[in-house]
Amino acid sequence: MANRIKKQNKKVKNFDDVKVLNEAQLWELIDKKEFAWHEHLNKTPLHLLEDRKVLEKLVDPPLSVYPPDLLKRLSNKCKSNVKNKDIFTRLLTNNHASFAMREMSKKRRDDLDFVLNILQIYKDRKESSGHIYDDLTPRLKNLKKVALLAIQTGSDPRDLPDKLKTDIDIFKAYIKYQNQRAKKYKRKPYYFHLKEFKFKTMGLDLNYIAKILQKDPDQYQHICLHLSNLKEFAWVALKHDVRLYQHLSARLKKHRAIINYVGTRDPRLLVQNLSSQTLLKINYSKLDLGKKARKYIFASCKKT
């Protein structure tokens, strides 16, 4: 009996049986921090939801569970109102706001000061801004100062316009961000999005690229698309993983020292990457290949 009364009281308390909340009921839920988005958001009339005092409460944790849900309910007029910019700045810098920018009005997604302020907050807190940059208007995405802040806060380089994928400052900002994350989580850095950049025209110092390769040699396959004939980079890659031989340029694959290094470790890579004519022209007397390696290569040439 006592449990039944308790359940009934809870039902009244959370207004489960109410289809549309009135102002008093809404404030009771807010004041008691019992406003549940999945339960009460759709029950709240728009005029109450867009009241500034209500919004100020709903954008702050713990009530702002998932910002996109609230933004979907609000009108463009409310989201475009300059007086509400501070409220939406707070909302868009919440922990779960990664996909919230796409629900903002076009006016705000094209508002330079609004966007820069949000990205700067993420940078100052050393947190990822998620997908905010990707959901901006093309005009803002093409501005270097916006893109730079976005990359500094973990935005995906593939969302950059092509003209900014050749920018040396943005490229270095990406590398720096990945190094900082690696240090934070006590691991080696991984430059997964290196392939997105077109650094052949950046005028990067070759020593800078060499340092990147030393930290993450697997990225040679992307670097060689632009700087394929640089032997020093090829050696960094091969000494990390001889299987990266397949990504070397045609000229480097025929380099005698490289053939010797690869052949002594895995002669199958030579057979898979060189033609039988090239294999037959090699002066094997000047190589350190063992009998098994030579026998394997010659047998493969005979089959061909």
Side-chain angles (χ1 to χ4, degrees):
M1 184 70 174
N3 287 336
R4 189 185 303 169
I5 293 172
K6 190 176 180 180
K7 287 181 181 179
Q8 287 175 348
N9 289 338
K10 187 178 179 181
K11 187 175 181 181
V12 173
K13 183 180 176 183
N14 289 327
F15 306 111
D16 292 347
D17 54 344
V18 174
K19 291 185 178 180
V20 179
L21 294 171
N22 60 40
E23 188 173 0
Q25 292 167 335
L26 174 61
W27 276 109
E28 183 178 338
L29 290 168
I30 289 173
D31 290 339
K32 292 182 178 179
K33 293 182 171 54
E34 292 175 354
F35 184 91
W37 285 40
H38 65 281
E39 192 176 336
H40 301 124
L41 188 60
N42 289 330
K43 290 183 178 184
T44 307
L46 188 60
H47 73 279
L48 291 179
L49 206 55
E50 294 188 345
D51 181 274
R52 182 176 173 83
K53 290 182 179 179
V54 172
L55 279 177
E56 285 178 336
K57 292 292 185 180
L58 294 184
V59 300
D60 287 333
L63 294 181
S64 57
V65 179
Y66 189 58
D69 286 346
L70 174 61
L71 291 173
K72 286 177 183 178
R73 284 287 324 275
L74 303 178
S75 67
N76 274 336
K77 182 179 179 181
C78 175
K79 290 184 281 191
S80 299
N81 190 336
V82 69
K83 294 180 180 179
N84 291 333
K85 283 175 72 169
D86 62 321
I87 291 178
F88 293 122
T89 297
R90 280 157 52 198
L91 183 68
L92 286 162
T93 50
N94 278 350
N95 291 333
H96 302 284
S98 181
F99 296 99
M101 183 60 82
R102 66 187 57 175
E103 305 300 338
M104 286 299 293
S105 65
K106 184 179 179 181
K107 185 174 182 179
R108 285 294 155 259
R109 290 186 291 109
D110 194 52
D111 185 328
L112 179 59
D113 292 336
F114 178 69
V115 169
L116 287 177
N117 186 30
I118 288 170
L119 292 175
Q120 188 63 51
I121 289 172
Y122 278 106
K123 183 183 177 183
D124 293 341
R125 294 196 314 217
K126 297 181 180 180
E127 294 177 358
S128 171
S129 59
H131 297 271
I132 285 177
Y133 174 75
D134 188 34
D135 294 321
L136 302 178
T137 61
R139 183 184 78 87
L140 288 195
K141 290 181 75 172
N142 276 280
L143 294 178
K144 179 178 174 176
K145 56 185 172 182
V146 175
L148 188 59
L149 258 182
I151 293 299
Q152 289 171 338
T153 54
S155 290
D156 196 324
R158 64 185 169 190
D159 296 328
L160 292 167
D162 286 343
K163 72 172 187 176
L164 293 178
K165 289 182 179 180
T166 64
D167 189 281
I168 189 170
D169 296 325
I170 290 177
F171 176 72
K172 286 186 173 181
Y174 168 75
I175 297 299
K176 184 177 180 180
Y177 178 80
Q178 296 305 324
N179 289 342
Q180 288 172 341
R181 285 185 63 80
K183 186 177 180 180
K184 179 180 179 180
Y185 295 108
K186 297 179 181 179
R187 60 165 174 77
K188 62 176 287 189
Y190 299 104
Y191 310 116
F192 297 113
H193 298 102
L194 211 64
K195 61 184 178 182
E196 301 297 336
F197 292 96
K198 302 173 182 179
F199 37 79
K200 186 176 182 180
T201 58
M202 286 182 190
L204 275 171
D205 181 77
L206 296 183
N207 290 328
Y208 182 82
I209 299 178
K211 288 178 181 178
I212 293 172
L213 272 179
Q214 287 165 0
K215 290 180 179 178
D216 190 0
D218 288 324
Q219 300 308 316
Y220 176 79
Q221 57 185 301
H222 305 306
I223 288 177
C224 73
L225 295 175
H226 307 278
L227 304 162
S228 59
N229 284 316
L230 290 174
K231 190 164 56 177
E232 58 266 43
F233 292 170
W235 279 116
V236 171
L238 290 174
K239 288 178 180 179
H240 165 70
D241 187 347
V242 72
R243 290 172 297 179
L244 291 172
Y245 177 73
Q246 62 182 308
H247 298 298
L248 269 59
S249 68
R251 183 175 70 82
L252 287 178
K253 283 179 181 176
K254 297 176 185 177
H255 190 278
R256 190 172 73 191
I258 289 177
I259 286 177
N260 189 64
Y261 182 86
V262 173
T264 55
R265 285 154 181 79
D266 192 344
R268 293 174 300 177
L269 291 169
L270 297 180
V271 172
Q272 292 166 3
N273 289 277
L274 298 175
S275 66
S276 56
Q277 284 184 325
T278 301
L279 288 169
L280 290 170
K281 288 179 182 178
I282 294 172
N283 187 347
Y284 291 92
S285 64
K286 295 184 177 181
L287 301 182
D288 297 327
L289 300 185
K291 288 183 179 180
K292 286 185 178 180
R294 293 168 189 260
K295 187 175 180 181
Y296 175 79
I297 293 170
F298 295 153
S300 299
C301 289
K302 283 184 179 180
K303 287 180 181 179
T304 305

